[in-house]
Amino acid sequence: MLAAKMVRYAPSTKEAVAADPSALRIRGVVFDMDGTLATPMKEHLIKMRTDIGVPNGIRTLEYVETCLHGRAREQAEKRIVDIETEAMANMRLSPGLVELLRFLHAHGIPIAIITRNNINSVNHFINNVVAKQPQELMELFAFSPVIDRSFKPTKPHPAGILHVSRAWNIPPQQLLMVGDHLDDLLCGLRAGSVSALLRYSDNGEFEAHAHIVVDRIDELVEKLASGFDADMAISGHENVGI
Protein backbone atom coordinates (compact mmCIF):
# COMPACT_ATOMS: atom_id res chain seq x y z
CA MET A 1 0.00 0.00 0.00
CA LEU A 2 1.28 3.45 -0.95
CA ALA A 3 1.82 6.05 1.75
CA ALA A 4 -0.85 8.72 1.86
CA LYS A 5 -0.19 11.88 -0.14
CA MET A 6 -2.71 14.36 1.20
CA VAL A 7 -3.46 17.41 -0.93
CA ARG A 8 -5.63 20.28 0.25
CA TYR A 9 -8.33 21.54 -2.11
CA ALA A 10 -9.54 25.05 -1.35
CA PRO A 11 -13.24 26.00 -1.38
CA SER A 12 -14.79 26.42 -4.84
CA THR A 13 -17.11 29.31 -4.00
CA LYS A 14 -16.92 32.63 -5.86
CA GLU A 15 -15.90 34.32 -2.63
CA ALA A 16 -13.01 31.92 -2.06
CA VAL A 17 -11.83 32.30 -5.66
CA ALA A 18 -11.86 36.09 -5.35
CA ALA A 19 -9.86 35.92 -2.12
CA ASP A 20 -7.25 33.45 -3.43
CA PRO A 21 -7.59 32.87 -7.20
CA SER A 22 -4.40 30.79 -7.50
CA ALA A 23 -5.32 28.13 -4.90
CA LEU A 24 -5.84 24.52 -5.97
CA ARG A 25 -9.60 23.88 -6.07
CA ILE A 26 -12.27 22.06 -8.04
CA ARG A 27 -13.24 24.21 -11.03
CA GLY A 28 -15.41 21.76 -12.98
CA VAL A 29 -17.53 18.67 -12.25
CA VAL A 30 -18.03 15.64 -14.51
CA PHE A 31 -20.88 13.22 -13.83
CA ASP A 32 -21.67 9.65 -14.71
CA MET A 33 -25.34 9.27 -15.64
CA ASP A 34 -26.97 6.01 -14.45
CA GLY A 35 -26.67 5.68 -10.69
CA THR A 36 -25.30 9.22 -10.36
CA LEU A 37 -27.41 11.85 -12.10
CA ALA A 38 -30.23 9.33 -12.25
CA THR A 39 -31.22 6.62 -9.78
CA PRO A 40 -29.49 3.23 -10.21
CA MET A 41 -30.61 0.69 -12.78
CA LYS A 42 -28.60 -2.24 -11.46
CA GLU A 43 -31.26 -4.85 -12.22
CA HIS A 44 -31.09 -3.87 -15.89
CA LEU A 45 -27.28 -4.14 -15.91
CA ILE A 46 -27.50 -7.62 -14.39
CA LYS A 47 -30.09 -8.60 -16.99
CA MET A 48 -27.86 -7.26 -19.74
CA ARG A 49 -24.87 -9.34 -18.66
CA THR A 50 -27.02 -12.44 -18.22
CA ASP A 51 -28.80 -12.18 -21.56
CA ILE A 52 -25.57 -11.58 -23.48
CA GLY A 53 -23.62 -14.18 -21.49
CA VAL A 54 -20.83 -11.92 -20.29
CA PRO A 55 -18.28 -13.93 -18.27
CA ASN A 56 -17.19 -12.77 -14.84
CA GLY A 57 -14.11 -10.57 -14.85
CA ILE A 58 -14.79 -8.58 -18.03
CA ARG A 59 -16.84 -5.44 -18.68
CA THR A 60 -19.95 -5.78 -20.82
CA LEU A 61 -18.91 -3.38 -23.60
CA GLU A 62 -15.37 -4.74 -23.60
CA TYR A 63 -16.73 -8.28 -24.03
CA VAL A 64 -19.03 -7.29 -26.89
CA GLU A 65 -16.41 -5.21 -28.70
CA THR A 66 -13.47 -7.61 -28.36
CA CYS A 67 -14.92 -11.11 -28.01
CA LEU A 68 -18.00 -11.13 -30.24
CA HIS A 69 -18.04 -10.84 -34.02
CA GLY A 70 -20.48 -10.72 -36.89
CA ARG A 71 -24.06 -11.69 -36.14
CA ALA A 72 -23.30 -12.46 -32.48
CA ARG A 73 -22.00 -8.96 -31.91
CA GLU A 74 -24.96 -7.39 -33.74
CA GLN A 75 -27.40 -9.34 -31.57
CA ALA A 76 -25.58 -8.39 -28.38
CA GLU A 77 -25.49 -4.70 -29.32
CA LYS A 78 -29.22 -4.79 -30.09
CA ARG A 79 -29.94 -6.46 -26.75
CA ILE A 80 -27.96 -3.76 -24.92
CA VAL A 81 -30.00 -1.03 -26.61
CA ASP A 82 -33.28 -2.88 -25.90
CA ILE A 83 -32.49 -3.17 -22.18
CA GLU A 84 -31.35 0.45 -22.00
CA THR A 85 -34.66 1.44 -23.59
CA GLU A 86 -36.56 -0.58 -20.98
CA ALA A 87 -34.60 1.15 -18.22
CA MET A 88 -35.59 4.60 -19.47
CA ALA A 89 -39.13 4.16 -18.16
CA ASN A 90 -37.85 4.08 -14.56
CA MET A 91 -35.25 6.84 -14.84
CA ARG A 92 -35.50 9.44 -12.06
CA LEU A 93 -33.25 12.27 -10.85
CA SER A 94 -30.86 11.31 -8.09
CA PRO A 95 -32.06 12.66 -4.70
CA GLY A 96 -30.23 15.88 -3.88
CA LEU A 97 -29.08 16.50 -7.46
CA VAL A 98 -30.94 19.79 -7.86
CA GLU A 99 -29.35 21.13 -4.67
CA LEU A 100 -25.87 20.27 -5.92
CA LEU A 101 -26.50 21.72 -9.38
CA ARG A 102 -27.89 24.89 -7.83
CA PHE A 103 -24.62 25.34 -5.90
CA LEU A 104 -22.48 24.66 -8.97
CA HIS A 105 -24.47 27.09 -11.09
CA ALA A 106 -24.33 29.81 -8.43
CA HIS A 107 -20.54 29.60 -8.35
CA GLY A 108 -19.93 29.35 -12.07
CA ILE A 109 -18.69 25.76 -12.03
CA PRO A 110 -19.24 23.97 -15.38
CA ILE A 111 -20.75 20.49 -15.59
CA ALA A 112 -20.38 17.61 -18.06
CA ILE A 113 -21.56 14.02 -18.53
CA ILE A 114 -19.46 10.96 -19.36
CA THR A 115 -21.57 7.83 -19.73
CA ARG A 116 -21.28 4.42 -21.34
CA ASN A 117 -24.96 4.58 -22.26
CA ASN A 118 -26.06 5.17 -25.84
CA ILE A 119 -27.11 8.62 -27.00
CA ASN A 120 -30.82 7.67 -26.89
CA SER A 121 -30.58 7.13 -23.13
CA VAL A 122 -28.80 10.46 -22.73
CA ASN A 123 -31.43 12.23 -24.82
CA HIS A 124 -34.18 10.60 -22.76
CA PHE A 125 -32.57 11.85 -19.57
CA ILE A 126 -32.29 15.41 -20.92
CA ASN A 127 -35.55 15.60 -22.87
CA ASN A 128 -37.84 13.68 -20.52
CA VAL A 129 -36.43 13.36 -17.00
CA VAL A 130 -34.79 16.80 -16.82
CA ALA A 131 -37.56 18.41 -18.86
CA LYS A 132 -40.09 17.51 -16.15
CA GLN A 133 -38.37 19.86 -13.71
CA PRO A 134 -39.80 23.36 -13.16
CA GLN A 135 -38.84 25.80 -15.89
CA GLU A 136 -36.87 27.96 -13.49
CA LEU A 137 -34.49 25.04 -12.87
CA MET A 138 -33.63 24.35 -16.51
CA GLU A 139 -30.52 26.55 -16.46
CA LEU A 140 -29.02 24.25 -13.81
CA PHE A 141 -28.79 21.34 -16.26
CA ALA A 142 -26.44 22.94 -18.81
CA PHE A 143 -24.23 19.87 -19.29
CA SER A 144 -21.51 20.41 -21.89
CA PRO A 145 -19.86 18.41 -23.23
CA VAL A 146 -22.02 15.29 -23.06
CA ILE A 147 -20.01 12.16 -23.89
CA ASP A 148 -21.81 8.88 -24.61
CA ARG A 149 -20.33 5.50 -25.50
CA SER A 150 -19.75 6.45 -29.13
CA PHE A 151 -16.71 8.33 -27.80
CA LYS A 152 -13.80 5.88 -27.73
CA PRO A 153 -12.16 4.68 -25.61
CA THR A 154 -14.87 4.50 -22.96
CA LYS A 155 -14.47 4.55 -19.18
CA PRO A 156 -12.36 3.51 -17.29
CA HIS A 157 -9.96 4.99 -19.83
CA PRO A 158 -9.33 8.66 -18.95
CA ALA A 159 -9.81 9.91 -22.54
CA GLY A 160 -13.28 11.28 -21.82
CA ILE A 161 -12.32 13.41 -18.85
CA LEU A 162 -9.15 14.58 -20.61
CA HIS A 163 -11.37 15.71 -23.48
CA VAL A 164 -13.49 17.69 -21.01
CA SER A 165 -10.33 19.16 -19.51
CA ARG A 166 -9.25 20.45 -22.92
CA ALA A 167 -12.74 21.71 -23.79
CA TRP A 168 -12.92 23.75 -20.59
CA ASN A 169 -9.22 24.66 -20.46
CA ILE A 170 -9.15 23.40 -16.88
CA PRO A 171 -6.31 21.10 -15.69
CA PRO A 172 -7.46 17.54 -14.88
CA GLN A 173 -6.37 17.90 -11.24
CA GLN A 174 -8.99 20.64 -10.85
CA LEU A 175 -11.84 18.44 -12.09
CA LEU A 176 -14.11 16.26 -9.98
CA MET A 177 -15.42 12.98 -11.44
CA VAL A 178 -18.59 11.78 -9.70
CA GLY A 179 -19.91 8.25 -10.15
CA ASP A 180 -21.24 5.10 -8.54
CA HIS A 181 -19.04 2.49 -10.22
CA LEU A 182 -15.37 1.58 -10.10
CA ASP A 183 -14.96 2.54 -13.75
CA ASP A 184 -16.12 6.09 -13.01
CA LEU A 185 -13.55 6.39 -10.25
CA LEU A 186 -10.75 4.92 -12.36
CA CYS A 187 -11.58 7.27 -15.22
CA GLY A 188 -11.04 10.23 -12.92
CA LEU A 189 -8.04 8.79 -11.10
CA ARG A 190 -6.18 7.89 -14.28
CA ALA A 191 -6.71 11.42 -15.58
CA GLY A 192 -5.24 12.84 -12.38
CA SER A 193 -8.61 14.20 -11.25
CA VAL A 194 -10.44 13.92 -7.93
CA SER A 195 -12.92 11.02 -7.86
CA ALA A 196 -16.07 10.92 -5.74
CA LEU A 197 -18.11 7.79 -5.08
CA LEU A 198 -21.88 8.04 -4.64
CA ARG A 199 -22.26 5.13 -2.24
CA TYR A 200 -25.16 2.68 -2.18
CA SER A 201 -25.69 -0.51 -0.22
CA ASP A 202 -23.99 -2.60 -2.92
CA ASN A 203 -20.98 -0.58 -4.05
CA GLY A 204 -19.03 0.06 -0.86
CA GLU A 205 -16.22 -2.14 -2.18
CA PHE A 206 -15.18 0.78 -4.40
CA GLU A 207 -14.52 3.17 -1.50
CA ALA A 208 -10.78 2.48 -1.50
CA HIS A 209 -10.57 3.98 -4.99
CA ALA A 210 -12.34 7.25 -4.15
CA HIS A 211 -10.99 10.50 -2.75
CA ILE A 212 -14.47 11.44 -1.54
CA VAL A 213 -17.37 9.17 -0.51
CA VAL A 214 -20.93 10.47 -0.10
CA ASP A 215 -24.27 8.79 0.52
CA ARG A 216 -26.30 11.53 -1.16
CA ILE A 217 -25.05 13.55 -4.08
CA ASP A 218 -25.80 16.91 -2.43
CA GLU A 219 -23.29 16.06 0.33
CA LEU A 220 -20.74 17.24 -2.22
CA VAL A 221 -21.93 20.81 -1.62
CA GLU A 222 -20.24 20.89 1.79
CA LYS A 223 -17.00 19.49 0.34
CA LEU A 224 -16.89 22.08 -2.41
CA ALA A 225 -18.01 24.97 -0.21
CA SER A 226 -15.55 24.27 2.61
CA GLY A 227 -12.67 22.57 0.83
CA PHE A 228 -11.37 19.07 1.48
CA ASP A 229 -8.24 16.91 1.67
CA ALA A 230 -7.65 14.29 -1.02
CA ASP A 231 -5.19 11.42 -0.83
CA MET A 232 -3.56 11.66 -4.26
CA ALA A 233 -1.63 8.45 -3.61
CA ILE A 234 -4.85 6.80 -4.87
CA SER A 235 -3.76 6.65 -8.50
CA GLY A 236 -6.11 4.21 -10.20
CA HIS A 237 -3.21 2.35 -11.82
CA GLU A 238 -3.16 -0.53 -9.39
CA ASN A 239 -4.51 -3.89 -10.53
CA VAL A 240 -8.17 -3.81 -9.54
CA GLY A 241 -11.18 -5.91 -10.36
CA ILE A 242 -13.95 -5.28 -12.85
Side-chain angles (χ1 to χ4, degrees), residues 68-119:
L68 299 182
H69 306 281
R71 180 63 176 163
R73 177 168 174 170
E74 291 177 4
Q75 291 176 332
E77 290 173 341
K78 181 180 184 302
R79 188 65 189 130
I80 288 173
V81 172
D82 288 345
I83 293 174
E84 287 175 335
T85 302
E86 293 172 14
M88 290 181 195
N90 298 315
M91 191 178 283
R92 302 288 185 273
L93 287 186
S94 182
L97 178 62
V98 170
E99 289 76 10
L100 174 58
L101 295 183
R102 185 178 283 119
F103 171 87
L104 297 175
H105 179 75
H107 295 283
I109 299 171
I111 54 177
I113 296 174
I114 300 178
T115 177
R116 288 185 299 186
N117 284 79
N118 69 66
I119 192 61

Side-chain angles (χ1 to χ4, degrees), residues 46-154:
I46 293 173
K47 183 178 183 181
M48 189 182 295
R49 291 182 66 87
T50 301
D51 288 5
I52 296 172
V54 182
N56 292 332
I58 187 170
R59 297 170 176 87
T60 301
L61 292 180
E62 180 183 356
Y63 173 72
V64 171
E65 293 173 358
T66 62
C67 299
L68 299 182
H69 306 281
R71 180 63 176 163
R73 177 168 174 170
E74 291 177 4
Q75 291 176 332
E77 290 173 341
K78 181 180 184 302
R79 188 65 189 130
I80 288 173
V81 172
D82 288 345
I83 293 174
E84 287 175 335
T85 302
E86 293 172 14
M88 290 181 195
N90 298 315
M91 191 178 283
R92 302 288 185 273
L93 287 186
S94 182
L97 178 62
V98 170
E99 289 76 10
L100 174 58
L101 295 183
R102 185 178 283 119
F103 171 87
L104 297 175
H105 179 75
H107 295 283
I109 299 171
I111 54 177
I113 296 174
I114 300 178
T115 177
R116 288 185 299 186
N117 284 79
N118 69 66
I119 192 61
N120 292 332
S121 294
V122 176
N123 288 339
H124 176 83
F125 174 74
I126 298 295
N127 299 329
N128 293 278
V129 180
V130 170
K132 291 179 181 178
Q133 304 307 305
Q135 185 60 38
E136 62 268 22
L137 297 181
M138 289 300 100
E139 63 182 359
L140 305 183
F141 295 87
F143 298 102
S144 180
V146 174
I147 297 174
D148 65 83
R149 70 164 170 259
S150 65
F151 182 100
K152 306 294 184 183
T154 58

